[in-house]
């Protein structure tokens, strides 16, 4: 069993078998990160470029660690330090990178479809580390891995995703992944954060938190992008947090063994009250740990052998 | 038609393991600091069986670990099909231990090379010994087993398969001629 | 020098003509249409052959030279995207003998001098007739009107701020009244920019899946409705450009039923493609108004069938690769269309939406009437602008072989049926692609 495509552009393109392969492989990689010497020689001599056109500490670091633990050489290029700021186009950047012959390019970009464009232009494996509001496949994979680890399965669960669904790539990738794996996905947020026709993606839509999280197994809270308020997408953070913040009271509506997830970084007290974020329901830090394993698995599966 | 020949049956396997267990004790002068590490997947079951034998002989509980050498293979770059990655589980420190590495078949020696590299990433064993059920020859690296169940001269176009109850539902060693 | 087209099927909706006849062209004009127009004297065959060029077009269709009333020739100002020369070549290759070009150049065609520049340049290219459409407002900024009378005298055939809507309703009212007093139309690009702001494709299921900001149908519908209301009040001539939504078709149909002097056009991509074409983030399918849903495509086709939509225009919008080979959100809007327009439109005939006569009407006499040009007919005495079409020619769109500088076609690699094989302007063959 191996992956069909040379790239990981989105969860939409992955089959259930491929998702299972990635999750199982990632589970085996967890152990490597617990060793005293957290490094295996698997990708010795391979080069992974982290091409980040959008600020990110968490995802970039996670990819960097994943690459290094597999002995790959990882190079970080961020928009602020590269020639991107000098007006070089994505095409030029891609061609230049290709000429340096790396084995994989991890790309984060604020424009949806940028990784797809890159994948069409270069022969290297492209991993989408988040493109606009489109997809963030590695996040969804690590979320599914964490759910599977805690619940034993990713199917037959009720999962509520709460927040700015319209602008969230995490939401889209998780909707694709969780529905494929057989879970029931609920999305919730104020009307202006729910994109048109989202129900056709196979989800149930609510405009209030209480209905959304009733009897669910998992609650995924999304990060509210503070700049959206400047764009007048919603009236105020104060109002949002008083109606959509997950707290000690409303979490009782969910199943007793509910788990709370968040892709980070958290705006404490806005999406999640601090006691919930740090409390027993929270598996937020497990998500981070599994993030490294999932990214190791993808690098291994994509460039670990001959294609 | 493929020719099959059973070269060792269930009793033969059991007797070999019993002998190996005694040899391990003899060579290491007991079980102090001793541990077993089975290489996925055949070696894991053999390591468990050896542990049982050692326990019944000496009355001590030996630590057993599982090692998946996929990430250390030297042929990964060339492999057409990506081998399925399994979990490694060595829940104890290897520092200053006498490690008996256990595998089913010793062939080119490349698996053992990878296993030794992996072990050394886990700590600094006092020494590493190698126990195999079958040594079929054709070494490509300077590696030799300390404990051997059976030396089985084979040709390169034959394959030697160790079938074990735990995964195949039967205990036997079969030699198959792939050249037919 | 005479030119004789023999054996072809002549379709001229302007005079209700559809028959196998010969066309004789003399001194650049249509001299005669009829059976056996030319009878060479048996004794002087050789001298006759010298003075008359006889082209056998058996199995072909000859129609009045096609008119594209919505083209972007990009010159002056954006010569890297297209020039009047390359745009004219593309037009002739696509079967067009007349192009009306939009004013969103640099400088904007908001003064006599720009209009005259375009006319002069086009005349020296001498491949197709080029009719400038002048801006409604200075620099198309929507604040002050341009000099309609002066621009008309210079050669402008209509007014439009295409690319942008006229957001100021009072200015739109004055423009409609002013143009109408000159017997001219305002061509309205209908888009509520508050609703469309930041969008790069149709708003709907596909935009939701792709995470791209959408341009909702209501951005178009709202301004179509407003313009109809103003046109009804003023009684002025209004032409709605590039209709793409079911709602706009309905609004126009209702307005026409009330007797408004309203006309409308759509472009081939709006009756051919849906927003599903954007699944792979193909910037060549990024266009404004955006490709809509199947429901809209069907409504546009129905609008063409029942005459709600009068005209098929290409909305030829050539762009350079640097405008298109970028991230989807940053890519320019527009599809290069002159060379695929006819073949895509002929599919409507195959699909039973339009008769061949209705299709030709929408690409000849109807646009000629809206922009007031003495074209779109084969009546005796008019300029001999003729397009000869091989309705059965199979060909494949190859962007690298387009005459246009704009290679931005979403139809690259697609099989087409039907092609202009000869384009005649003023009696001269400007393009030929004979087998």
């Amino acid at each position: 069993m191996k992956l069909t495509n040379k790239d990981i552009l989105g969860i939409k393109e992955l089959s259930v078998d491929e998702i299972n392969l990635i999750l199982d492989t990632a589970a085996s990689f967890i152990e490597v990160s617990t060793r005293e010497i957290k490094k295996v020689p698997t990708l010795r001599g391979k080069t992974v470029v982290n091409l980040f056109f959008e600020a990110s500490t968490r995802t970039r670091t996670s990819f960097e660690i994943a690459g290094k633990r597999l002995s790959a050489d990882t190079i970080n290029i961020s928009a602020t330090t590269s020639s991107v700021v000098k007006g070089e186009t994505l095409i030029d950047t891609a061609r230049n990178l290709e000429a340096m012959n790396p084995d994989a390019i991890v790309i984060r970009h604020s424009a949806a479809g940028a990784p797809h464009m890159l994948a069409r232009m270069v022969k290297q494996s492209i991993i989408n580390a988040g493109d606009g509001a489109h997809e963030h496949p590695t996040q969804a994979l690590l979320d599914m891995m964490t759910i599977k680890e805690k619940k034993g399965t990713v199917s037959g669960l009720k999962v509520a995703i709460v927040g700015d669904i319209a602008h969230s790539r995490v939401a889209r990738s998780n909707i694709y992944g969780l529905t494929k794996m057989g879970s029931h996905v609920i999305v919730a947020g104020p009307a202006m954060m729910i994109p048109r026709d989202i129900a056709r993606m196979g989800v149930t839509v609510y405009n209030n938190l209480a209905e959304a999280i009733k009897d669910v197994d998992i609650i995924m809270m999304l990060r509210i992008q503070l700049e959206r308020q400047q764009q007048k997408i919603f009236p105020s953070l104060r109002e949002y947090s008083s109606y959509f913040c997950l707290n000690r009271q409303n979490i009782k509506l969910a199943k007793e063994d509910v788990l709370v997830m968040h892709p980070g970084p958290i705006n404490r007290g806005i999406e999640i009250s601090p006691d919930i974020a740090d409390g027993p329901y929270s598996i937020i830090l497990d998500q981070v740990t599994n993030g490294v394993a999932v990214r190791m698995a993808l690098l291994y599966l994509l460039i670990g052998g001959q294609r | 038609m493929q020719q099959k020949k059973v070269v060792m049956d269930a009793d033969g396997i059991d007797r070999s393991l019993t002998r190996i267990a005694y040899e391990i004790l003899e060579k290491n002068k007991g079980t102090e600091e001793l541990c077993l590490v089975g290489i996925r997947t055949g070696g894991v079951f053999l390591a468990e069986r050896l542990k049982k034998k050692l326990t019944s002989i000496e009355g001590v509980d030996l630590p057993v670990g599982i090692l998946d050498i996929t990430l250390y293979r030297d042929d990964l770059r060339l492999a057409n099909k990506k081998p399925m990655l399994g979990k490694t589980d060595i829940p104890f420190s290897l520092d200053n231990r006498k490690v008996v590495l256990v595998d089913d078949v010793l062939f080119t020696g490349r698996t053992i090379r990878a296993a030794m590299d992996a072990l050394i990433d886990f700590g600094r064993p006092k020494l590493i010994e190698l126990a195999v059920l079958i040594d079929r020859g054709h070494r490509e690296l300077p590696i030799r087993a300390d404990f051997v169940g059976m030396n089985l001269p084979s040709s390169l176009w034959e394959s030697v398969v160790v079938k074990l109850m735990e995964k195949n539902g039967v205990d036997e060693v079969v030699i198959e001629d792939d050249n037919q | 020098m005479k030119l004789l087209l023999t054996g072809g099927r002549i379709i001229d909706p302007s005079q209700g003509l559809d028959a196998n006849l010969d066309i004789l062209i003399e001194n650049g004009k249509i001299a005669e249409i009829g059976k056996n127009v030319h009878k060479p004297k048996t004794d002087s065959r050789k001298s006759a052959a010298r003075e008359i060029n006889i082209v056998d077009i058996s199995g072909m269709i000859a129609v009045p030279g096609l008119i594209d009333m919505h083209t972007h020739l990009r010159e002056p100002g954006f010569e890297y995207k297209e020039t009047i020369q390359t745009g004219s070549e593309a037009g002739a290759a696509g079967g067009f003998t007349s192009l009306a070009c939009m004013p969103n150049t640099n400088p904007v065609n908001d003064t006599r001098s720009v209009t005259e520049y375009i006319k002069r340049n086009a005349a020296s290219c001498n491949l197709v007739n080029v009719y400038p459409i002048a801006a409604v407002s200075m620099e198309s900024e929507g604040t002050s009107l341009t000099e309609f009378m002066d621009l008309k005298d210079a050669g402008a055939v209509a007014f439009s701020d295409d690319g942008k809507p006229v957001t100021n309703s009072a200015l739109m009212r004055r423009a409609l009244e002013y143009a109408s007093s000159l017997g001219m139309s305002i061509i309205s690009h209908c888009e509520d920019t508050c609703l469309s702001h930041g969008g790069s494709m149709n708003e709907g299921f596909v935009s939701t899946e792709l995470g791209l900001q959408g341009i909702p149908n209501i951005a178009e519908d709202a301004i179509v409705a407003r313009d109809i209301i103003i046109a009804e009040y003023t009684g002025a001539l209004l032409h709605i450009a590039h209709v793409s939504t079911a709602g706009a078709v309905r609004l126009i149909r209702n307005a026409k039923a009330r007797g408004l002097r309203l006309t409308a056009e759509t472009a081939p991509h709006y009756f051919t493609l849906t927003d599903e074409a954007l699944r792979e983030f193909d910037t060549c399918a990024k266009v404004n108004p955006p490709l809509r849903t199947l429901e809209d495509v069907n409504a546009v086709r129905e609008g063409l069938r029942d005459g709600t939509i009068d005209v098929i225009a290409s909305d030829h919008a050539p762009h350079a690769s640097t405008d298109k080979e970028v991230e989807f959100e940053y890519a320019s809007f527009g599809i290069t269309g002159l060379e695929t327009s006819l073949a895509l439109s002929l599919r409507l005939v195959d699909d039973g939406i339009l008769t061949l006569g209705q299709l030709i009407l929408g690409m000849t006499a109807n646009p000629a009437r809206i922009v007031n040009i003495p074209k779109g007919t084969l009546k005796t005495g008019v300029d001999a602008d003729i397009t000869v079409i091989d309705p059965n020619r199979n060909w494949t769109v190859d962007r690298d072989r387009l005459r246009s500088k704009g290679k931005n076609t979403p139809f690259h690699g697609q099989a087409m049926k039907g092609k202009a094989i000869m384009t005649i302007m003023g009696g001269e063959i400007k393009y030929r692609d004979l087998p």
Side-chain angles (χ1 to χ4, degrees), chain A residues 12 89-91 109-114 116-117 120 131 133-134 172 176 195-198 200-201, chain C residues 203-213 276 279-283 324-330:
Chain A
K12 188 181 164 89
T89 64
L90 179 57
I91 276 208
H109 201 296
S110 61
H116 306 66
M117 188 181 159
R120 276 195 295 270
D131 63 323
H134 180 221
R172 281 173 182 79
Y176 285 129
R196 197 163 174 84
D197 294 337
I198 184 119
R200 282 178 60 193
M201 290 182 79
Chain C
E203 179 177 285
F205 179 58
V206 180
S207 68
T208 289
E209 284 216 321
L210 295 181
L212 288 168
Q213 201 173 325
E276 292 287 339
R279 282 281 181 196
E280 304 299 316
F281 297 94
D282 179 7
T283 57
K324 284 290 196 182
E325 283 178 9
V326 294
E327 293 86 332
F328 191 87
E329 288 164 37
Y330 312 155

Side-chain angles (χ1 to χ4, degrees), chain C residues 267-284:
Chain C
H269 35 272
Y270 299 120
F271 56 73
T272 308
L273 297 174
T274 67
D275 55 2
E276 292 287 339
L278 297 161
R279 282 281 181 196
E280 304 299 316
F281 297 94
D282 179 7
T283 57
C284 287

Side-chain angles (χ1 to χ4, degrees), chain C residues 121-416:
Chain C
N121 199 330
S124 74
C125 294
N126 193 28
L127 287 166
V128 293
N129 304 294
V130 173
Y131 298 98
I133 294 166
V136 169
S137 62
M138 293 306 292
E139 294 183 48
S140 287
E141 281 186 336
T143 44
S144 54
L145 289 180
T146 57
E147 299 167 331
F148 283 17
M149 289 193 277
D150 205 30
L151 286 159
K152 184 187 181 186
D153 277 349
V157 293
F159 299 97
S160 179
D161 277 350
D162 187 57
K164 295 179 187 174
V166 178
T167 48
N168 180 334
S169 303
L171 189 81
M172 188 63 176
R173 177 211 171 154
R174 284 197 296 275
L176 278 164
E177 289 174 333
Y178 191 8
S180 204
S181 74
L182 304 173
M184 295 168 80
S185 288
I186 298 291
I187 301 174
S188 181
H189 169 112
C190 296
E191 177 185 352
D192 183 326
T193 48
C194 289
L195 283 167
S196 65
H197 179 76
S200 51
M201 66 171 292
N202 180 53
E203 179 177 285
F205 179 58
V206 180
S207 68
T208 289
E209 284 216 321
L210 295 181
L212 288 168
Q213 201 173 325
I215 300 173
N217 281 23
I218 53 172
E220 180 167 337
D221 301 353
I223 302 298
V224 169
R226 182 205 69 171
D227 285 355
I228 286 173
I229 289 166
I230 301 173
E232 188 160 17
Y233 182 75
T234 55
L237 292 167
L238 171 66
H239 178 80
I240 307 291
H242 41 55
V243 171
S244 76
T245 67
V249 173
R250 197 164 53 239
L251 287 161
I252 295 163
R253 182 181 292 125
N254 292 344
K256 283 189 163 186
R258 290 200 302 279
L260 259 71
R261 293 200 292 168
L262 178 67
T263 54
E265 80 193 21
T266 191
H269 35 272
Y270 299 120
F271 56 73
T272 308
L273 297 174
T274 67
D275 55 2
E276 292 287 339
L278 297 161
R279 282 281 181 196
E280 304 299 316
F281 297 94
D282 179 7
T283 57
C284 287
K286 181 179 175 180
V287 61
N288 188 25
L291 300 176
R292 306 284 187 181
T293 63
L294 190 59
E295 188 199 338
D296 297 295
V297 166
N298 287 333
V300 168
R301 288 170 157 245
E302 178 56 23
L304 282 162
R305 196 194 61 75
D306 72 6
T308 300
I309 299 172
D310 308 87
V311 169
I312 296 170
S314 73
D315 196 359
H316 176 71
H319 285 293
S321 64
T322 48
D323 304 316
K324 284 290 196 182
E325 283 178 9
V326 294
E327 293 86 332
F328 191 87
E329 288 164 37
Y330 312 155
S332 299
F333 289 99
I335 290 174
T336 193
L338 281 170
E339 290 159 87
T340 50
S341 187
L342 176 61
L344 293 168
S345 302
L346 283 166
R347 289 182 184 175
L348 294 173
V349 179
D350 272 356
D351 294 348
I353 309 287
L354 296 179
T355 64
L356 203 46
Q358 287 169 326
L359 173 66
I360 300 305
L361 180 68
M363 299 182 81
T364 56
N366 278 353
R369 175 169 51 85
I370 294 162
V371 295
N372 275 321
I373 55 175
K375 298 287 179 185
T377 178
L378 297 176
K379 283 178 184 152
T380 310
V382 304
D383 291 343
D385 290 0
I386 302 169
T387 302
V388 180
I389 300 164
D390 180 349
N392 298 314
R393 173 76 72 89
N394 291 305
W395 60 288
T396 303
V397 180
D398 179 355
R399 61 180 165 229
D400 299 320
R401 295 184 57 193
L402 295 177
R403 266 94 176 153
S404 170
K405 279 193 181 183
K407 309 301 180 192
N408 46 312
T409 174
F411 302 105
H412 175 67
Q414 281 198 28
M416 298 280 156

